[in-house]
Amino acid sequence: MSHESEETDETGGEQSLEATVAEFLRDVDAAHDDYDRGYVDADATLSVVMTHVERLREAQADGD
């Protein structure tokens, strides 16, 4: 899944922290499911998760 550097919602506005958290949880769950099914190895899964963690941190910092 590819994301722009600045997340936006469907209307072109900045995505809320709540929406970012919901997306984070969905994406991390998907990465975990892929790992459980054997589609990816642990290093690849951790890389995906940490990318999502960084995006969540950025959204939190932007909300401060």
Side-chain angles (χ1 to χ4, degrees), residues 1-8 15 23-24 26-27 48 51-52 55:
M1 178 168 25
S2 173
H3 294 282
E4 299 173 14
S5 60
E6 182 175 300
E7 294 300 313
T8 58
Q15 188 171 341
E23 183 178 353
F24 167 81
R26 183 183 62 244
D27 291 347
V48 168
T51 297
H52 293 306
R55 288 183 48 234

Side-chain angles (χ1 to χ4, degrees), residues 35-58:
Y35 175 77
D36 278 348
R37 290 186 178 114
Y39 297 152
V40 293
D41 65 23
D43 290 335
T45 302
L46 185 56
S47 177
V48 168
V49 169
M50 292 311 297
T51 297
H52 293 306
V53 167
E54 186 57 35
R55 288 183 48 234
L56 185 60
R57 285 184 178 135
E58 289 171 4

